[in-house]
Amino acid sequence: MDTSIKVKFDKIDRKILEILQANAKITNAQLSKDIGLSPAPTLERVKKLEQSGIIKSYHAKLDAEKIGLGVSTFVLVSLIGHNKGNIDAFMKEINGIPEVIECHHITGTGDFILKIIAKDITAYQKLMLEKVSEIREVDSMQSMVILSTFKDSKVLPIPE
Amino acid sequence: MDTSIKVKFDKIDRKILEILQANAKITNAQLSKDIGLSPAPTLERVKKLEQSGIIKSYHAKLDAEKIGLGVSTFVLVSLIGHNKGNIDAFMKEINGIPEVIECHHITGTGDFILKIIAKDITAYQKLMLEKVSEIREVDSMQSMVILSTFKDSKVLPIPE
DNA sequence: GAATTTTCAAAATTTTATGCGGTACAAATG
DNA sequence: CATTTGTACCGCATAAAATTTTGAAAATTC
């Protein structure tokens, strides 16, 4: 299974991708002006980028504070075993917890790093005690509370 | 300065936010059906959510592999000093590196955690040696390479 | 309980997306 | 070297969607 299917795209496509990453709500007319094409071929290119899977989806970014989410953390998690069964079981549990918004398998001392978001410290503690540490496969955890976020870019640096 | 400006929103607004986080490209007509209102008040609510800053922006999510970005990492960074001047200088440098897509100030042993994305290990190494570790304020760094990502949700769990 | 404000729906208008020839250019072929 | 073939583009026509307007209903306030 090749998960790194490279799809060809040129300079114009790259520009489209940069613009849509930064602002998905731009109209096709404006986008076409920005890249120097007429609307028809512009739209065609966007559709192709969507169909090829280069563009996976479109999302609204919310202000976490304003919707009452005051606590964000990274959590390093070690599992009791590293076999596939354990990892699958862990993943399944994690997928059921909406407060865990990211879960990555990583190298190094910990096995996984999670990004978690909660209302406040109380809610976070409750979540950790009652949900995360209850997962059978979890051995140890180490929390890093985010004090402030200086950069949270939704724009990936597209290589040449 | 109050960074946690709470803005009122009801159950319908919450539903709108959930839908737009998962799929920003939904038409207003479809959104209005999903939430059980007619198009006009639906659009009005969305505009209000945008103006109040609850919805900050809209972004296209790309497939990192397909655009040739094969290596993602988290990096724990310790600074040589923790005074404001140092932190500001560090932030300024970080903002100029597009491969650093996230930068958070955190509690714990490290001072900062970065999320970095690069073409491959070679490009990553070059980036770290020539850009990140060259920043004067950086003391030590610890990289955690992402082997695979199991969850990367763009939907925040909105509290009651 | 009357007045005010807010929320909503329906219809009209404006804006935007989309599909359709037709053309120019480039690479491949005879 | 001419011809073919294919691709990418443009401009226009049409369809779809967003947005505004108007006025009614519901909730809130006094």
Side-chain angles (χ1 to χ4, degrees), chain B residues 32-87:
Chain B
S32 68
K33 278 180 196 166
D34 290 358
I35 64 171
L37 284 183
S38 69
T42 301
L43 188 64
E44 205 177 314
R45 281 171 180 266
V46 173
K47 293 295 169 199
K48 268 186 194 162
L49 290 168
E50 289 170 357
Q51 282 159 19
S52 69
I54 293 182
I55 297 176
K56 292 170 85 170
S57 45
Y58 297 91
H59 306 274
K61 180 181 175 182
L62 307 190
D63 186 316
E65 300 275 351
K66 285 186 180 162
I67 57 174
L69 291 169
V71 174
S72 297
T73 68
F74 284 104
V75 181
L76 288 170
V77 175
S78 289
L79 298 195
I80 51 175
H82 306 92
N83 53 76
K84 191 165 184 307
N86 265 357
I87 292 176

Side-chain angles (χ1 to χ4, degrees), chain A residues 67-95:
Chain A
I67 58 175
L69 291 169
V71 174
S72 296
T73 68
F74 283 103
V75 182
L76 288 171
V77 176
S78 289
L79 298 194
I80 52 176
H82 307 92
N83 54 76
K84 190 164 184 309
N86 264 357
I87 291 176
D88 285 350
F90 173 67
M91 273 171 48
K92 197 178 166 187
E93 293 291 331
I94 286 298
N95 266 316

Side-chain angles (χ1 to χ4, degrees), chain A residues 23 25 59-67, chain B residues 5 7 9 12-24 26 31 42-59 156 158:
Chain A
N23 173 24
K25 270 298 171 71
H59 306 275
K61 179 180 176 183
L62 307 190
D63 186 317
E65 300 275 351
K66 286 187 179 163
I67 58 175
Chain B
I5 306 153
V7 191
F9 53 92
I12 299 177
D13 292 317
R14 187 173 293 118
K15 212 165 178 180
I16 290 176
L17 293 174
E18 277 167 12
I19 293 170
L20 289 183
Q21 282 188 95
N23 173 23
I26 189 173
L31 178 62
T42 301
L43 188 64
E44 205 177 314
R45 281 171 180 266
V46 173
K47 293 295 169 199
K48 268 186 194 162
L49 290 168
E50 289 170 357
Q51 282 159 19
S52 69
I54 293 182
I55 297 176
K56 292 170 85 170
S57 45
Y58 297 91
H59 306 274
L156 304 181
I158 306 173

Side-chain angles (χ1 to χ4, degrees), chain A residues 51-66:
Chain A
Q51 281 158 20
S52 69
I54 293 183
I55 297 175
K56 293 169 86 169
S57 46
Y58 297 91
H59 306 275
K61 179 180 176 183
L62 307 190
D63 186 317
E65 300 275 351
K66 286 187 179 163

Side-chain angles (χ1 to χ4, degrees), chain A residues 3-7 9 17 20-25 50 52-69 74 76 87 91 94-107 109 112-113 115 117 119 142-159, chain B residues 3-7 9 17 20-25 50 52-69 74 76 87 91 94-107 109 112-113 115 117 119 142-159:
Chain A
T3 57
S4 63
I5 305 153
K6 301 275 168 46
V7 191
F9 53 92
L17 292 173
L20 290 183
Q21 282 188 94
N23 173 24
K25 270 298 171 71
E50 289 170 359
S52 69
I54 293 183
I55 297 175
K56 293 169 86 169
S57 46
Y58 297 91
H59 306 275
K61 179 180 176 183
L62 307 190
D63 186 317
E65 300 275 351
K66 286 187 179 163
I67 58 175
L69 291 169
F74 283 103
L76 288 171
I87 291 176
M91 273 171 48
I94 286 298
N95 266 316
I97 309 176
E99 289 89 350
V100 178
I101 56 174
E102 291 182 33
C103 174
H104 311 274
H105 193 183
I106 56 170
T107 61
T109 50
F112 290 89
I113 190 164
K115 190 172 188 178
I117 190 156
K119 190 180 169 188
Q142 184 195 337
S143 288
M144 296 173 282
V145 176
I146 297 177
L147 300 172
S148 57
T149 294
F150 294 134
K151 192 174 187 178
D152 187 16
S153 171
K154 302 301 177 193
V155 182
L156 304 181
I158 306 173
Chain B
T3 56
S4 64
I5 306 153
K6 301 276 167 46
V7 191
F9 53 92
L17 293 174
L20 289 183
Q21 282 188 95
N23 173 23
K25 269 296 170 74
E50 289 170 357
S52 69
I54 293 182
I55 297 176
K56 292 170 85 170
S57 45
Y58 297 91
H59 306 274
K61 180 181 175 182
L62 307 190
D63 186 316
E65 300 275 351
K66 285 186 180 162
I67 57 174
L69 291 169
F74 284 104
L76 288 170
I87 292 176
M91 275 171 48
I94 287 298
N95 266 316
I97 309 176
E99 289 89 349
V100 179
I101 56 175
E102 290 182 33
C103 174
H104 311 274
H105 194 184
I106 57 172
T107 61
T109 51
F112 290 88
I113 189 165
K115 190 173 189 179
I117 190 156
K119 189 181 170 189
Q142 184 194 339
S143 288
M144 297 174 281
V145 177
I146 298 177
L147 300 172
S148 57
T149 294
F150 293 135
K151 192 174 188 180
D152 186 17
S153 171
K154 301 303 176 194
V155 182
L156 304 181
I158 306 173

Side-chain angles (χ1 to χ4, degrees), chain B residues 101-146:
Chain B
I101 56 175
E102 290 182 33
C103 174
H104 311 274
H105 194 184
I106 57 172
T107 61
T109 51
D111 291 304
F112 290 88
I113 189 165
L114 313 179
K115 190 173 189 179
I116 297 185
I117 190 156
K119 189 181 170 189
D120 49 36
I121 287 287
T122 307
Y124 178 69
Q125 183 183 23
K126 190 170 151 76
L127 172 73
M128 292 299 280
L129 288 176
E130 296 180 5
K131 294 268 190 75
V132 184
S133 39
E134 281 298 305
I135 299 174
R136 181 186 304 278
E137 292 78 17
V138 169
D139 183 9
S140 70
M141 302 190 306
Q142 184 194 339
S143 288
M144 297 174 281
V145 177
I146 298 177

